[in-house]
Amino acid sequence: MGGRRLERFVAFWTLVFIRTVTGLAGEGRSVWKKDPHFSPVSETQMFLHDTFPKEFLWGVGTGAFQVEGSWRKDGKGSSVWDHFIHLESADSTDASSDSYTLLDKDLSALDFLGVTFYQFSISWSRLFPTGVVTAPNEKGLHYYNTLIDSLLYRNIDPVVTLYHWDLPLMLQEKYGGWKNESVIDIFNDYATFCFQTFGDRVKYWITIHNPYLVAWHGYGTGIHAPGERGKITTVYSVGHNLIKAHAKVWHNYKKHFQPSQKGMMSIVLGSHWIEPNKLEDALDISKCQQSMERVLGWFAKPIHGDGDYPEELKNEFLFLPRFTEDEKNYIKGTADFFAFSFGPNNFKPPSTLPKMGQNLSLDLREVLNWIKLEYNSPRILIAENGWFTDSHVKTDDTTAIYMMKNFINKVLQAIKYDNIDVFGYTAWSLLDGFEWQHAYSIRRGLFYVDFKSEKKERIPKSSALYYKQIIRENGFFPRESTPSLQAQFSCDFSWGITESVIKAESVASSPQFCDSSLYLWNVTGDGLLHKVKGVKLKTRPAQCTDFVSIKKQLDLLEKMKVTHYRFALDWSLILPNGDLSVVNRQVLRYYRCVISEALKLNVQSMVTLYYPTHAYLGLPGPLLQTGGWLNRSTAYAFQDYAALCFRELGDLVKLWITINEPNRLSDVYNRSSNDTYRAAHNLLIAHAMAWKIYNEQYRSFQYGKVSLSLHSDWAEPANPYFESHSKAANRFLQFEIGWFADPIFKTGDYPATMREYISFKNRKGLSYSSLPSFTSEEKQLVKGAADFYALNHFTTRFVIHEPQNGSQYEFDHDIQFLQDITCLSSPSRLAVVPWGVRKVLKWIKNTYGDIDIYITANGIDDQSLDNDELRNYYLGKYVQEVLKAYYIDKVKIKGYYAFKMTEEKSKPRFGFFTSDLKGKPSIKFYNNLISNNGFPGDYSVCDPPSQDQQCSFCLAISQKKPLIFFACCLFSTLILLLTIIVFHKRKRRKRFKAKSIQCICVSF
């Protein structure tokens, strides 16, 4: 019995292993059955820096009709597409890339890329004008011979497609095109001629390119040639004939040509990809499977499967043509590899796709997995892949770079992680050309062609440069990161946690020890407290711990194990009138309590005076009514408020932030750019006056430091091949950071780059913006008005130069952001780019000198409440890059503050604690970073001596005095009880002995 169980166990896990490694036919639906606990930061899901196998093939492709042009030249016959476009619109291939006459330029473009193969199609009607194989058109024959010979001379393998949609017009008019089975034999005759003529030099053949689009759009929707809007029965009849035509040609080649020519043959099948609305919903998954079967499975299952259509398709469409058993056996296996197309033609127009109520996706890796599982792990050639740009885009096709980067990396992941046998990749397309139903309204080429020019030069786009780099490196080399360091920060490094504005309690939450009255509860059954007259109880002075919210904050701080706590005061609560006429002393006492109680935990406070947000400007009401930061009087009011806080709290605070992210208030004062710049000017003056007050009146005995905290994300040119993008990235840094940092840390004035660019736009009439001017007194006031640089950093922005008109701050710098879809991102779409923080730290040092730097906020939103792995990953990677900046680049980083302690309801989840104060696992991760002071090796430079350890123990004892006292009392009580019990037991034992002796004596 045990042996049978063992056999079953081994058999089951063997089957699971085989399915995982090789895939079993018909298992495609398992792709959507994902582990709900799958890690969002799994290495297998992130961008892979690695290389492809050494023998991997890199190619590029074109379609004859799209690029050859010369549709009436040298005896070429008309095709269905020639007829269709001249009938339907003014667009034609007359203005195409004209590859037929400019072959040398195409070959130069191929040389530039360094590809190993070129996938092109033969124009059937250029060889045989009527479609029927008779004497070939000699000039057409010469063109293709020259092309193939030229490729081989360059060590570029030709991958030849026999039919890429341009059916000779005569076959359509005489036979009805692919609706008629007679075309199958004619196609086979044409293929035979090609094998006889070119086969000695061609090792890869494609029979038909994407037959789904031929049938569906050519004979169904009518958006492709021949433009028939037929019945659904016609569509599937055409598909049926295309499959049979392919199979006949494959068997013809296999029998008569492959033994001597040693070539391989397939058919390019194209598809979309689709994801279920709900991963756990079996019905949604079934709909996704049906969607794939209706497009890819329609052709793939007969050819790569069992020779027949998918069961779902046969059950849904009873009119579907049927294969005989002989035909099934004839069709099954008629491909030497799986040639797959994944591009915009498979997704557009989306209204024509069988989405089944689910979601379209561009995840190439997932569809490759589906093919592997559905068709028993075939060898795969990506025979068409790429995206498109609008027609006005010339060589700056930045979005195409990122689409290519994503697609190719997905292929690499499929090879490395999923064991999918992909042996080649075809970028589409080599040149700009005629894009079917889109004509010339979009471009897909790696090389730009001006269709109206006479020379029609092939000018490499950014995507060509990028693809060339990938081919040269055979994949993706890491560029932005040095190996991880094992090192520590300085022993006095500040490890902090940041919180936004703390809402102060105006009345203590626990006043019971301060009220001398005695109360009786529920005397009359009303559930209320009733004061007992004439009775007074002994009270004690008010204590900070009477505020319940402070107790909660201290509890959270203790769990975080930080050395510093950054939080913000509420200006409008402290000074409700905006001036010193009314000071809320209770609120000030509350904040003092927060600081003093934190110090008892050995946690110092970094206090922010003013913390505005998009939703809450944080100004006292009267100041808002007089214009807020548009009014210079608000700066003077801030000076008075800062002086009050320094006076009342400064003896406990060593680090001050005057204003948090003043460079982000442009989102609030955005009526015009001049409003934005005016508000910013007043904010700068307000900060400088507050710093001056502290410097002159409080620094000498409080020994603190003051700065302002700037939002300082890094900017990277989205397109490294264009100087305009690099300039745009630098411009972003100047408009975002230099706007406030230059006046304070450098010149006392706004960046020259900023002034010059605004003036340039003014001269062009594109903007009427004007930066305020500093007076000589203001320059003297502002310059040097900070004791350290404080930055809030969250992500890296990929920047594009994008000219814009209008007098708005966001228009003045002419930039646009691009989302890198290959980057790991948070739910709020913050890209995780750890090396960006190191770059911005180096930039600050190089731009503003060797100054002290505090990272006052750094964090990410993570949707998970019980396993915030994304936050752990983010913290580990970003702190590692901060360490590199400190250790390698010698940036004087004094502290790191994680953002943030508690999250807010209905907002991105940045907190280590939920809104109801439940801790997350990332707390422990951050604890470890703090206790290790970085990433130490075997030896820690900051191991405390025994005396310090003893002091830490003493501190712990002093913090737990009430608990220890209670424990001692409890222990003493237990000892006393045990003593009494033992005493009584002994007493009873003596009495028992006495009685026993007495009884013995009487008996005697």
Side-chain angles (χ1 to χ4, degrees), residues 360-379:
L360 292 175
S361 166
L362 293 175
D363 196 330
L364 178 53
R365 180 183 174 185
E366 291 289 80
V367 71
L368 290 174
N369 269 283
W370 189 86
I371 291 169
K372 170 190 172 181
L373 293 167
E374 196 72 16
Y375 304 113
N376 200 18
S377 298
R379 293 194 76 214

Side-chain angles (χ1 to χ4, degrees), residues 110-128:
L110 293 168
D111 287 336
F112 177 87
L113 292 174
V115 292
T116 50
F117 71 88
Y118 177 41
Q119 182 178 325
F120 65 92
S121 70
I122 293 173
S123 172
W124 189 348
S125 60
R126 193 176 293 281
L127 279 183
F128 301 103

